[in-house]
Amino acid sequence: MSTAILTGPPVAGSPLEADLRTLGFDVRTANDAATAAELLAAVPAQERVAVVDPRFVGHLHALRLALTDPRFPAAAVPGALTAQPAARAALARAFGRIPVGAGTAHLTDVLTDTLTESLDREETGLHRVELGSLVATVALTPAQREDAREAVAAVDDEAVRLRTAVKSRDGFFTTYCISPYSRYLARWCARRGLTPNQVTTASLLTALIAAGCAATGTRGGFIAAGFLLLFSFVLDCTDGQLARYSLQYSTMGAWLDATFDRAKEYAYYAGLALGAARGGDDVWALALGAMVLMTCRHVVDFSFNEANHDAGGATANTSPTAALSGKLDSIGWTVWVRRMIVLPIGERWAMIAVLTALTTPRIVFYALLIGCALAACYTTAGRVLRSLTRRARRTDRAARALADLADSGPLAELIAGRARGRGRTGSFLAPVMAFLSAAVLLVWVIFQDDPTSWLTVGVAVCSALLAGAAVARPLKGALDWLVPPFFRAGEYVTILVLAARADVPGALPAAYGLVAAVAYHHYDTVYRIRGGTGAPPRWLVRATGGHEGRILVITVLAAALSPSGFTIALTTLAVVLALLVLIESIRFWVSSQAPAVHDEGEPA
């Protein structure tokens, strides 16, 4: 239960108390600041507290945004503020700083404003709600109250609530083909007490059923799979809109929303591969290639964003490439074209669904690989140009995030420790070493007649040496954000090629499971960093071997075992890694350490 303290002159006939109870608050009244402070002290420390001026006039949704959003320790609109347990001590101190005596009436006339300013100065993470067309004000006179009520009546806050439930920036397909009706589905769910987590789970189950339909290998199954995949995407949009509509952000929701999209898409790829196999067409290599490409694309997105998340300097956003992008943004239609070119999740899933229903899995994967490869070239080239022409200072936080995304294990750490101090921070040494680390290994396994040899193990050791050199210095260079993508490409493609060259049934599906488990670990790392809680613990990274350790183990297994034995080893490794990273991830995301957020940064 939350408590709202009304402090100020009472207003007869005001619906404020009823509105606060609608929002789940136990309402108490205080005649003055001292009494309000006593009531605050009496509320259990683990409860949320709101302080509201009885003369408040405004929309119910304005109060909802200010008083019930769980993402902020403190939030305020004119006439109302709230403090969660993390900000309760700061609110108590704000009450304690209010002077008593002659000449202080202006500080207590609108007590909520005085408290808000005090919390703002204390840097407690106070969130001032952007009201837009919503109304929230303190009416000090009957005339002001009448004017405020007319302003409230002129704006339909339910329409505002529905509109703001939709992301302000999204893809063309999602914006024009899904959101116009999914927002109403979100409201329907809210009115029936459904939670975003339940809708997210329903979306996952729908996608898994779609994958099962695709796995039948029949035309009817493919058609059903296409429709179910689209419906899964509708639910995927609905869960975020429901969270924004009802402000039901949660730690579990953050984890589910962050991981289920990838689980749905990659499970669907596997379903298509199984369905194709039933028809005599082996497309496991294409399915694994599609997963590798999508994961590497996302790593490029994540690494670039983290490298520039808090880049400082007056010229941080004045590169010629950024200037050109700004000019193009002023031409409306180019914005949508550029959003569609990158093949975001809405356009991608629509393409997959339509092609599944009308064509074959092989054509689906060809279209997916070509489209995503072109999109990756477009986005990566633009980011490279931005990085080369942008003068910005990369921070220690950004360097730490890139190092965590690199996922270097004990071997690379040992090599980096011996190489530390050589080279210059900010040069191109790190991305060059990372590129060579991946290129040396991939050229060898792709073009060798027999890559499952002990010579490949030696090449893997050389690759690890180069990887260690890449992370020996802080990753603060203009192109150092390319280091994690190079490492991901080297690891994933090596697994793909070695499994394909084994040329035995089950090798590629086993490799698919292994890459899926490792990719989950990398996505989990990304969303922990985004939430501000840091990367997974070092013991987990060391236990999984790091990217260079896994490559070394896999090349040793390929050299030491028969093709069938290698397949069994890949399967075992996939199961062990999946259990290890999933158990630790679930423990983290359901714990109190996780941030109460709902992912807004949907990757392409």
Side-chain angles (χ1 to χ4, degrees), residues 74-135:
V77 292
L81 76 151
T82 185
Q84 293 203 68
R88 284 280 303 275
L91 180 59
R93 288 193 297 271
F95 268 107
R97 283 192 292 267
I98 295 176
V100 178
T104 63
H106 67 286
L107 296 175
T108 56
D109 186 35
V110 183
L111 180 62
T112 52
D113 289 355
T114 301
L115 294 172
T116 297
E117 292 299 326
S118 182
L119 288 176
D120 210 3
R121 287 193 299 271
E122 197 162 332
E123 298 183 355
T124 57
L126 177 73
H127 172 65
R128 292 182 182 267
V129 178
E130 295 183 9
L131 292 171
S133 59
L134 295 176
V135 175

Side-chain angles (χ1 to χ4, degrees), residues 48 64-72 75 82 84 127 247 249:
R48 174 194 291 268
R64 181 182 291 109
L65 290 170
L67 304 185
T68 67
D69 195 327
R71 295 173 297 173
F72 310 105
T82 185
Q84 293 203 68
H127 172 65
L247 300 182
Y249 304 101

Side-chain angles (χ1 to χ4, degrees), residues 91-235:
L91 180 59
R93 288 193 297 271
F95 268 107
R97 283 192 292 267
I98 295 176
V100 178
T104 63
H106 67 286
L107 296 175
T108 56
D109 186 35
V110 183
L111 180 62
T112 52
D113 289 355
T114 301
L115 294 172
T116 297
E117 292 299 326
S118 182
L119 288 176
D120 210 3
R121 287 193 299 271
E122 197 162 332
E123 298 183 355
T124 57
L126 177 73
H127 172 65
R128 292 182 182 267
V129 178
E130 295 183 9
L131 292 171
S133 59
L134 295 176
V135 175
T137 187
V138 177
L140 301 179
T141 66
Q144 289 178 354
R145 174 168 294 275
E146 187 61 31
D147 290 343
R149 285 174 174 171
E150 290 178 1
V152 169
V155 177
D156 184 351
D157 69 337
E158 178 61 20
V160 173
R161 191 180 179 192
L162 272 175
R163 186 177 67 251
T164 54
V166 178
K167 285 182 181 179
S168 58
R169 177 185 175 87
D170 223 326
F172 180 88
F173 179 77
T174 304
T175 299
Y176 291 104
C177 300
I178 303 296
S179 293
Y181 58 87
S182 62
R183 68 184 74 182
Y184 295 101
L185 179 58
R187 182 171 67 181
W188 183 89
C189 292
R191 290 178 175 177
R192 281 151 185 81
L194 297 177
T195 67
N197 294 351
Q198 291 170 334
V199 178
T200 302
T201 303
S203 176
L204 174 65
L205 294 175
T206 303
L208 294 179
I209 295 171
C213 291
T216 64
T218 64
R219 178 51 51 195
F222 287 147
I223 293 173
F227 279 109
L228 286 171
L229 185 65
L230 282 178
F231 182 60
S232 174
F233 182 64
V234 172
L235 293 175

